[in-house]
Amino acid sequence: MDLNDKIKTFQNIIDFAKHIVFFTGAGVSTGSGIPDFRSQDGLYNQKYDLPPEEIISHHYFEENPTEFFRFYKDKMLYLDAKPNVVHTFIAQCEKAGKSLGVVTQNIDGLHQAAGSKRVYEIHGSVHRNYCEKCHKFFTAEYVKNSDGIPHCDACGGIIKPDVVLYEEGLSEAVLNGAVAAIQSADVLVVLGTSLVVYPAAGLLRYFGGKYLVLINKDATPYDNAADLVINTTFDNVFPKLHV
C-alpha cells in the first residue's frame, strides 16, 4: 500500500474502533518543539560531559543536584510547548467516546493540555514536583525559575520532580491502570516510540484486541506484529484524519 492507502486504512480502523488506547513516545512531542532522545537531533546525540542517561539518573540527582538541575531545567523543561495535531486528535477521540485513554512515556503534560482526561504517565510528569522533606507540591514553573537547586519555601528541603529517573522503578498504580486499559482495547495505536525502552515497551504484550497500528518515522521491533505500519511523520497523517 502507498501512504494514502495506509491513511485510508487507518481511518477505517478509527471508524471501526469502540475502545482505542493510544501509546505515545517522545516522537509525538517533537512537533511541539520538544526534542526526543534518539533521533539525529535528540539528546543522545548532543554533546555533554556526561551522557544524558547518567545525568538524569537517581544516583546523579542525589550526588550532584546542582548539575542535575542545570541539565534538567535546560533540556527537559519546555514549559512554552503547545499541543500539536496528534495530541489534539487523541483528545478528540476521547471526547467522542472512542478512546479509553493514553499510555505515554512522555513527561511534558501535553496530552492533558490538549484535553485528554485519562492519561497514564508511566515516566511521571514535570508538572508534579514535591519537597523531599515535607512533600509540599510545587509547579514546574517554580522549579524552572528557581536559582540553582530548587528548595521548598516551607522547610528548605530539595524539591524533586515527579519523573522516573534512571535506576528508579515505575509506579505500580500507573502501570496497572495502563495494563487494564490496553487489555480492554480493541485497537492499540502506537505513536512516536522506538519501543526499545523497557518495561514500557513490554506493555504491548498485554494487547489482545483486533488492530495494532504503529506509526513512527523509523522501524520498530514490533513492526512484524502490527496490522498496519506507517513510517512517516505525523504531519503527513493526522491532518487527513477525522473522528
Side-chain angles (χ1 to χ4, degrees), residues 58 61-62 68-69 72 77 112 121 123-144 146 149-165 168 171 174:
H58 179 81
F61 170 79
E62 294 288 339
F68 171 89
F69 278 108
Y72 179 80
L77 288 182
Q112 291 93 329
E121 296 173 306
H123 291 156
S125 172
V126 300
H127 295 286
R128 297 188 299 271
N129 304 272
Y130 299 94
C131 172
E132 290 194 300
K133 284 187 178 180
C134 72
H135 308 296
K136 181 178 178 180
F137 170 85
F138 291 89
T139 65
E141 287 78 12
Y142 184 95
V143 172
K144 179 85 169 179
S146 63
I149 302 170
H151 286 91
C152 176
D153 59 7
C155 75
I158 293 178
I159 298 167
K160 184 180 184 297
D162 187 19
V163 299
V164 179
L165 305 179
E168 294 181 344
S171 164
V174 174

Side-chain angles (χ1 to χ4, degrees), residues 13-72:
I13 291 173
I14 296 294
D15 293 342
F16 150 85
K18 291 183 172 64
H19 303 298
I20 309 171
V21 166
F22 294 91
F23 185 107
T24 66
V28 166
S29 292
T30 56
S32 296
I34 300 176
D36 64 6
F37 273 63
R38 290 176 173 79
S39 69
Q40 184 176 354
D41 299 320
L43 289 178
Y44 280 174
N45 290 304
Q46 298 180 23
K47 301 301 182 184
Y48 299 100
D49 293 338
L50 295 170
E53 65 266 32
E54 170 74 9
I55 300 174
I56 52 177
S57 66
H58 179 81
H59 81 268
Y60 197 86
F61 170 79
E62 294 288 339
E63 296 167 8
N64 303 280
T66 299
E67 286 303 302
F68 171 89
F69 278 108
R70 189 165 71 91
F71 177 91
Y72 179 80

Side-chain angles (χ1 to χ4, degrees), residues 194-196 198 201-205 212 214 219-226 229:
S194 58
L195 293 175
V196 297
Y198 283 82
L203 292 174
L204 268 66
R205 72 178 185 271
L212 173 62
L214 300 184
T220 79
Y222 284 80
D223 284 6
N224 289 336
V229 177

Side-chain angles (χ1 to χ4, degrees), residues 21 100 102-103 119-122 170-184 199 203 205-206:
V21 166
L100 294 173
V102 185
V103 178
V119 183
Y120 302 95
E121 296 173 306
I122 54 180
L170 305 186
S171 164
E172 187 173 339
V174 174
L175 278 178
N176 288 341
V179 168
I182 290 171
Q183 288 176 327
S184 301
L203 292 174
R205 72 178 185 271
Y206 293 101

